[in-house]
Amino acid sequence: MGEGVDEAGWDVEPGDEIEPVVQAVGRLLKVCREAAGVSVPELAEAMGYGEDMIRKIERGARIPRPELLDRADTFLTAQGHLRAFTEDMKKARYPKKVRELAEMEGRAVEMLLYSNHNIHGLLQTEEYARALLRTWRPAYSPDQLERMLAGRMARKSVFGRAPAPEFSFVQEEVTLRRPVGDTMVLRRQLEHVLELAKLPFVELQVMPTTRANHPGTGGRIQVLKFADGTGMGRTDGDFSGRPVSNPRQLRVLDLRYGIIRAQALTPEESLVFIEQALGEL
């Protein structure tokens, strides 16, 4: 495969509830390997990974990539037993907080999303997200960065749901002008934002920097609403940045977002604004 030993999977985070499943998959891989009369060095060579990496997977210290399970299932004639855990490992490879967020986004029927520092994760291209994640300190290791990136890109599957949730994005002007990565990365990012903004279930608005007084100065706001009438919200400014579901707290976030939405450019004006910003690059 030519990926190198560090590409076989991801380390298990301490205390992650997915750990028992990863350990079970590791034990199953070992059982299948031994039943096939294949040694660790032989399996490692066939998979294109180091022996140490295979041993880490077998003892449950490493989350195997889904494609590794698929290839190992064929090589070891495991009759689909390893392949059966493909979906579990697809979920396990993302950090716990990303899995939890993706699960809530997967249930939401409406999303209200205000971003004031960067373009929202659901709107990001892979190259923009990679460049953004590289700015974080302390710096992610290459393995951590790829895992975070994979989780962020996987969340974008919500745009393909049927029926799709209703999205409302409000982006501060600065997020559309900061050349994260470089100018070309930003150019492709803005083109992607324009494509998503034209989807029938997406409403995107820009908050001009000239709007001096609005309740978004405290930080990001996120409100997810579910089909049963409940919801989840989060903001940088209150509730210690933690998710809240109390109706009273959600009303506060709804109020703030409503004012922000009203003070931002209309969706039509916002598209023109982004097109103009793109033309200036």
Side-chain angles (χ1 to χ4, degrees):
M1 293 177 66
E3 292 180 308
V5 294
D6 289 336
E7 297 298 325
W10 300 267
D11 287 336
V12 180
E13 293 180 329
D16 193 329
E17 73 273 5
I18 204 72
E19 186 175 14
V21 180
V22 176
Q23 292 174 340
V25 171
R27 289 194 297 270
L28 178 60
L29 176 62
K30 183 177 181 179
V31 168
C32 292
R33 176 180 60 76
E34 292 177 342
V38 175
S39 67
V40 169
E42 290 171 334
L43 180 59
E45 182 178 1
M47 298 295 103
Y49 298 129
E51 296 177 25
D52 183 60
M53 189 59 63
I54 296 299
R55 291 191 175 92
K56 287 182 69 175
I57 292 173
E58 288 191 345
R59 66 173 182 266
R62 191 80 167 171
I63 302 169
R65 287 179 178 268
E67 54 268 30
L68 173 64
L69 292 182
D70 184 67
R71 296 178 68 241
D73 194 286
T74 300
F75 181 74
L76 300 174
T77 318
Q79 300 181 330
H81 294 297
L82 289 170
R83 198 172 287 120
F85 284 92
T86 297
E87 290 302 316
D88 296 278
M89 294 304 98
K90 282 182 179 179
K91 296 177 182 178
R93 62 181 177 171
Y94 308 133
K96 180 180 179 180
K97 63 180 182 180
V98 176
R99 291 201 308 271
E100 293 173 343
L101 179 57
E103 188 276 329
M104 288 187 287
E105 289 175 340
R107 291 192 294 115
V109 295
E110 183 180 0
M111 300 192 201
L112 311 178
L113 308 163
Y114 164 71
S115 300
N116 64 338
H117 289 309
N118 306 297
I119 292 173
H120 193 277
L122 289 176
L123 297 174
Q124 292 175 12
T125 64
E126 183 171 337
E127 63 176 349
Y128 179 95
R130 184 186 300 276
L132 185 62
L133 289 169
R134 282 176 172 162
T135 68
W136 290 21
R137 294 296 182 270
Y140 287 122
S141 68
D143 184 67
Q144 291 172 324
L145 189 146
E146 291 303 318
R147 194 177 183 198
M148 290 294 295
L149 183 63
R152 184 163 298 185
M153 292 301 100
R155 287 169 51 206
K156 292 169 68 69
S157 64
V158 294
F159 290 109
R161 279 174 43 195
E166 292 294 323
F167 294 92
S168 171
F169 294 93
V170 178
Q171 290 285 155
E172 283 286 342
E173 176 182 345
V174 65
T175 68
L176 306 171
R177 296 192 181 278
R178 180 175 291 124
V180 174
D182 59 35
T183 301
M184 290 307 299
V185 171
L186 179 60
R187 170 176 285 278
R188 287 188 285 267
Q189 174 62 68
L190 293 185
E191 290 172 344
H192 182 64
V193 168
L194 286 173
E195 290 177 6
L196 292 177
K198 293 174 182 177
L199 294 173
F201 48 84
V202 174
E203 183 178 84
L204 189 142
Q205 296 174 256
V206 175
M207 176 67 77
T209 303
T210 53
R211 299 283 201 272
N213 302 306
H214 69 78
T217 54
R220 298 169 298 173
I221 295 176
Q222 176 186 46
V223 179
L224 305 183
K225 299 182 180 181
F226 308 120
D228 62 1
T230 62
M232 186 284 295
R234 177 180 291 175
T235 179
D236 291 334
D238 285 320
F239 320 127
S240 301
R242 296 177 180 175
V244 296
S245 56
N246 180 284
R248 183 177 300 175
Q249 294 169 324
L250 287 176
R251 280 197 297 272
V252 171
L253 298 183
D254 251 333
L255 172 65
R256 289 182 190 170
Y257 191 84
I259 297 174
I260 290 170
R261 201 174 189 176
Q263 292 184 317
L265 299 178
T266 67
E268 293 76 16
E269 292 169 337
S270 297
L271 289 180
V272 173
F273 185 97
I274 297 172
E275 288 170 349
Q276 291 175 342
L278 188 56
E280 295 170 6
L281 293 177

